Amino acid sequence: MIKENAFQGIEKPYGVDVITSNKAEIISISQFLKIDNMRIPEYQRPYKWTEKNVMQLINDIFIHKDKSRYRFGTIVIHQNYIKEEGKVYNDIVDGQQRFTTLRIILYALCKLVTENKNNYESYIVEQVQSLKYKVDTISIDYNNKESVKQIANNYQVAFRSLSKFNTLTIKAFLEKCEVVVFYITDLTEAFQFFDSQNSRGKDLYPHDLLKAFHLREFDDLEYEQQIKVVNEWEGYESKELAYVFADYLYRIKGWSDQNSSRKFLKKDIGMFKGINISNKKLYPYIKPMHIAHSFVDNYNHSFERQIDNQSLAFPFQLDNIMINGRRFFEYTAHYKKIIEEFKVKYEVKEWADNLTFSQKIFYLVYYNNRNYREGERYLKNLFECLVIYYIDKFGYSEFDYFLEKAFVWVFSMRFYYQRLGFDSIDKYVIEHTDTNFFHLIRKAIYPNQILNIDLSGILPDKIRVESYSGMNNDRMDFRIGEFFKQKMYYAN
């Protein structure tokens, strides 16, 4: 619980502005950079923001320059009273990477407008120079060599990237871009608050960062929709969302590009960021998505829907570029539903001769008598990713034929590996360039382009198939071997 008067009983030094209770305020970047007595405590990690981070921040500013407000997130400050000095320092507990980067951007902006005064309105030149002069009086010490090196590098990056800013963009950066600053008077509570801001001390999942990003990307007029999608998102289990992104969507998108897709990390979230459809500058490639986005909204908001009670879902495709904001949350719900539906549709837990062909394949994937092993779980995940990608593109057209091909492509691996790790799965996908099913689905226009794939290059030889189709083998469920044998899926 936050104490309200941590400075109670301490005599307030003359001329020192002590906040005697915890508080929060929303302030502009210009106001934030002018906060006096700011410090980055020694316990903070070095400055590590990369060129990519800086360019992303600058690009966000540029993209959102026309918004009435754009928020950069929260800053947690510990108001640290040093009695010996009779001074209160504002120690940054959370947000020092952004704080440093914003200072870098200001200094780069000052150099830019000073050297190119004729390109900017005089008032903005004076405003930037005046702010920089004030910030010069707030000395921040960076003693770590890596921090100093990274700051110097990012200053050059910022200077180059800011060349596209005009007077109004700079004005938007200084006045419309904001941060939420939490002033907390007790250090322990400041750390506790920092932990609570970061999932109660647990490391954030990548999908948590995506949620925060796409909430910021909502249009100003979508407040009610924002509340609705947030409530739906919060209704999902966090681990369930982690599986959707890490085990399925991330791997499908990576493997379809023939990239290694072993573990979904925070650095990979860029693949789930895309375009802001409300941006006034629309490139030609964005027009089809803009048309679809507008058509779906217009259809669903039409008065006729009050009569026929119909609705139209946005036509998501895994290969398409992400539309930021509301569509991301709809996208998540859409693929979560696909994942759940095909499992329910084909789930069988007991083997029987009267099962359909598709049910038999799903049984052998999910309930074969070696399904307790780690390797079988990896094969199941690979198979599921293929099924999701195929359904996403072709629905259930020619589905039985596809399942047969997919099953053979996936379980051929088991004939070669007694112990099967995920590294082997990942390597198998990206190294078999001619038969990478994900890449082939991506390029395919019709299902038969997938169904006619020549699998001879990955098939086990006949001796292996026969040796593992017997009931006494310890490699796999003999019914998998029998399937390969009866269908003659072996190399000549």
Side-chain angles (χ1 to χ4, degrees):
M1 188 168 178
I2 295 177
K3 299 174 185 175
E4 292 220 349
N5 289 299
F7 288 101
Q8 194 170 13
I10 296 177
E11 183 180 351
K12 178 180 174 181
Y14 178 76
V16 176
D17 183 18
V18 179
I19 296 177
T20 57
S21 63
N22 300 305
K23 77 166 192 174
E25 61 180 359
I26 301 170
I27 57 176
S28 68
I29 295 302
S30 182
Q31 293 170 314
F32 173 55
L33 292 176
K34 289 192 286 189
I35 295 176
D36 280 317
N37 300 330
M38 193 77 89
R39 297 193 311 184
I40 297 177
E42 291 184 1
Y43 55 73
Q44 289 282 22
R45 64 191 179 102
Y47 177 69
K48 291 188 175 181
W49 265 29
T50 64
E51 177 177 332
K52 181 179 178 181
N53 297 134
V54 175
M55 292 178 69
Q56 181 64 58
L57 180 60
I58 291 173
N59 194 49
D60 285 347
I61 296 166
F62 186 79
I63 290 173
H64 299 286
K65 61 184 181 295
D66 295 323
K67 283 194 170 184
S68 58
R69 291 288 182 268
Y70 183 69
R71 201 159 292 166
F72 282 153
T74 61
I75 307 291
V76 180
I77 289 177
H78 167 223
Q79 284 221 303
N80 188 5
Y81 173 56
I82 308 299
K83 187 175 181 180
E84 293 75 16
E85 298 182 35
K87 193 172 186 179
V88 174
Y89 288 100
N90 292 303
D91 290 346
I92 298 182
V93 175
D94 181 28
Q96 63 109 345
Q97 302 284 325
R98 276 168 293 160
F99 170 71
T100 298
T101 304
L102 290 170
R103 283 175 63 106
I104 290 170
I105 291 173
L106 172 64
Y107 276 82
L109 268 179
C110 190
K111 175 178 171 65
L112 183 70
V113 300
T114 301
E115 293 180 354
N116 303 274
K117 290 183 179 179
N118 293 335
N119 294 338
Y120 305 95
E121 296 287 343
S122 59
Y123 79 87
I124 206 69
V125 175
E126 293 173 6
Q127 187 176 349
V128 170
Q129 291 175 336
S130 175
L131 179 58
K132 191 257 185 186
Y133 177 78
K134 169 61 180 174
V135 170
D136 281 340
T137 67
I138 307 167
S139 178
I140 304 291
D141 295 325
Y142 295 95
N143 299 317
N144 181 278
K145 290 182 180 179
E146 288 301 313
S147 293
V148 173
K149 181 180 178 182
Q150 198 62 36
I151 288 170
N153 179 70
N154 286 350
Y155 172 75
Q156 294 175 315
V157 171
F159 181 76
R160 293 193 296 269
S161 301
L162 291 166
S163 61
K164 61 185 177 181
F165 278 33
N166 59 19
T167 294
L168 293 179
T169 308
I170 297 172
K171 180 179 174 64
F173 166 61
L174 298 176
E175 299 176 5
K176 294 182 180 180
C177 293
E178 301 172 333
V179 290
V180 181
V181 181
F182 289 90
Y183 298 93
I184 299 181
T185 57
D186 181 85
L187 181 60
T188 301
E189 290 178 2
F191 280 121
Q192 289 173 345
F193 185 79
F194 167 67
D195 285 343
S196 69
Q197 287 291 103
N198 292 274
S199 290
R200 299 182 180 179
K202 297 179 182 178
D203 195 21
L204 293 176
Y205 285 112
H207 68 258
D208 293 319
L209 300 178
L210 285 169
K211 170 193 170 185
F213 170 81
H214 285 285
L215 283 176
R216 294 198 303 270
E217 294 289 295
F218 268 74
D219 289 344
D220 292 337
L221 301 177
E222 294 183 329
Y223 179 72
E224 290 185 4
Q225 291 168 308
Q226 189 177 33
I227 294 174
K228 180 182 177 182
V229 298
V230 169
N231 287 336
E232 289 176 355
W233 180 280
E234 295 300 329
Y236 302 145
E237 290 287 339
S238 186
K239 286 186 178 180
E240 185 180 14
L241 286 172
Y243 291 139
V244 169
F245 283 97
D247 288 11
Y248 300 116
L249 303 183
Y250 163 70
R251 288 175 179 167
I252 294 169
K253 289 171 78 69
W255 283 333
S256 67
D257 275 335
Q258 295 188 312
N259 292 327
S260 177
S261 302
R262 299 183 185 185
K263 191 171 183 181
F264 184 42
L265 302 173
K266 293 175 184 176
K267 67 178 179 63
D268 302 311
I269 64 175
M271 68 167 58
F272 296 102
K273 296 179 181 180
I275 57 169
N276 190 314
I277 210 74
S278 62
N279 191 352
K280 292 180 180 178
K281 188 172 184 178
L282 290 178
Y283 301 108
Y285 81 91
I286 298 176
K287 288 182 180 178
M289 287 176 281
H290 188 266
I291 292 169
H293 175 79
S294 300
F295 179 84
V296 169
D297 278 355
N298 289 339
Y299 178 89
N300 289 332
H301 295 152
S302 173
F303 76 91
E304 288 97 337
R305 302 294 78 77
Q306 299 176 30
I307 301 171
D308 60 21
N309 293 318
Q310 298 295 309
S311 64
L312 184 65
F314 187 85
F316 293 107
Q317 289 283 281
L318 281 165
D319 296 337
N320 285 353
I321 295 167
M322 180 69 65
I323 297 177
N324 294 338
R326 168 168 52 98
R327 294 297 184 202
F328 166 78
F329 295 94
E330 295 173 1
Y331 168 97
T332 303
H334 172 77
Y335 286 105
K336 186 173 175 293
K337 184 179 179 183
I338 286 180
I339 293 166
E340 293 167 353
E341 280 186 346
F342 80 78
K343 291 181 180 180
V344 172
K345 187 172 183 177
Y346 290 98
E347 183 179 40
V348 288
K349 296 184 179 180
E350 292 185 9
W351 181 267
D353 292 336
N354 63 350
L355 293 179
T356 67
F357 179 77
S358 295
Q359 287 175 326
K360 286 182 178 179
I361 285 181
F362 272 93
Y363 178 89
L364 290 176
V365 172
Y366 284 91
Y367 299 107
N368 70 76
N369 60 23
R370 300 288 191 275
N371 67 352
Y372 55 87
R373 297 188 304 192
E374 190 174 54
E376 260 57 31
R377 291 198 294 271
Y378 295 143
L379 290 172
K380 179 187 73 173
N381 178 242
L382 177 60
F383 179 81
E384 288 176 329
C385 287
L386 269 179
V387 170
I388 294 164
Y389 198 27
Y390 184 89
I391 293 172
D392 181 57
K393 186 148 190 177
F394 298 114
Y396 288 91
S397 176
E398 310 285 353
F399 195 58
D400 281 3
Y401 299 106
F402 165 74
L403 287 181
E404 180 174 334
K405 288 279 187 176
F407 180 78
V408 170
W409 187 71
V410 169
F411 277 84
S412 287
M413 270 184 285
R414 182 44 86 190
F415 289 92
Y416 296 101
Y417 293 93
Q418 175 68 33
R419 298 174 62 87
L420 190 59
F422 190 78
D423 287 357
S424 299
I425 299 279
D426 187 63
K427 188 176 179 181
Y428 175 81
V429 175
I430 61 179
E431 287 192 354
H432 285 85
T433 54
D434 292 339
T435 57
N436 178 343
F437 259 63
F438 295 94
H439 191 59
L440 293 169
I441 291 173
R442 179 173 184 166
K443 294 192 302 180
I445 300 174
Y446 302 105
N448 63 2
Q449 292 173 283
I450 306 299
L451 307 180
N452 294 335
I453 292 172
D454 180 9
L455 297 178
S456 60
I458 55 94
L459 294 177
D461 58 53
K462 188 175 181 180
I463 295 174
R464 283 177 186 268
V465 170
E466 289 182 342
S467 65
Y468 294 123
S469 60
M471 294 185 66
N472 296 324
N473 83 85
D474 61 354
R475 174 68 65 88
M476 67 182 73
D477 188 318
F478 77 95
R479 287 168 293 195
I480 295 174
E482 280 290 333
F483 177 88
F484 276 74
K485 182 179 178 181
Q486 291 175 5
K487 291 281 188 176
M488 299 180 68
Y489 278 114
Y490 45 76
N492 296 321

